[in-house]
Structure formats: C-alpha cells, structure tokens
Amino acid sequence: MEALRAAGVAVRPERFEKSHDTAAARALFERLEPSLPAAGAATAESVAVAGRVVLLRPMGKLAFGQLQDHRGRIQFALRRDRLGADRFKLLLDHLDLGDPLGL
C-alpha cells in the first residue's frame, strides 16, 4: 500500500461515489450497444462501479479483469496508453485478487 500511496494512488479513500452497481452498468451498456458505431466507441455516459477484483489477466500493454459486487460481475480493461506506463506497471505489480477497486 505504501508504494501505491507514494505514487499518488488513493488507497482506501474515505469515500468513493459509485453511480451504478455492476448489473445496472451492464444493462446500460446493453442498451447503448446497438447505437455505438464501432467497438470501443465513446459515449457521453459515464459509469463508476466498485467491487472486488475476481480476475486479472495481463496481456502486454493491456490487462483484462473482472470486478464483482453484490449484483454480479463486470469486465474492465486497463490500458497502458491511457494510464501511462508507470501507473499501469504499478497497478499490475500491486493489484491482487480480492482487492477492493473502484473504477
């Protein structure tokens, strides 16, 4: 935790405002999916979910994972080009299964 704190990551913040649980986030995506022009297209919708990491699979410059809460699971992706090389490596080095995570 000290390495994460030193890097400016909010470890166990006092409050995390989630906007959706995993089931609501999945339902929102399923509703939006037909209107998205291409895979990975951006929308005006934003979602904040929280839960426990139950899967983490690093694949070079990308890592896929699953986050689980009381309503189900949702997949997430961590991209080195979006996070920056240092933060991406830091997360992969210190994020473990079972850790709480807010995205």
Side-chain angles (χ1 to χ4, degrees), residues 16-78:
F16 178 80
E17 294 291 333
K18 67 179 191 170
S19 62
H20 297 73
D21 59 34
T22 57
R26 287 175 60 99
L28 174 64
F29 177 75
E30 289 166 2
R31 230 178 23 255
L32 292 174
E33 191 174 30
S35 64
L36 296 177
T43 70
E45 298 288 334
S46 80
V47 173
V49 295
R52 299 252 177 207
V53 177
V54 294
L55 177 93
L56 188 61
R57 187 171 297 143
M59 305 176 82
K61 298 177 184 180
L62 184 65
F64 288 102
Q66 286 186 3
L67 193 68
Q68 180 175 323
D69 68 5
H70 67 286
R71 299 278 316 271
R73 291 183 180 190
I74 193 164
Q75 183 175 325
F76 65 89
L78 303 174

Side-chain angles (χ1 to χ4, degrees), residues 86-101:
D86 292 340
R87 184 160 280 206
F88 181 77
K89 182 178 180 339
L90 186 71
L91 284 171
L92 290 185
D93 287 349
H94 296 285
L95 194 60
D96 294 316
L97 297 181
D99 282 352
L101 182 65

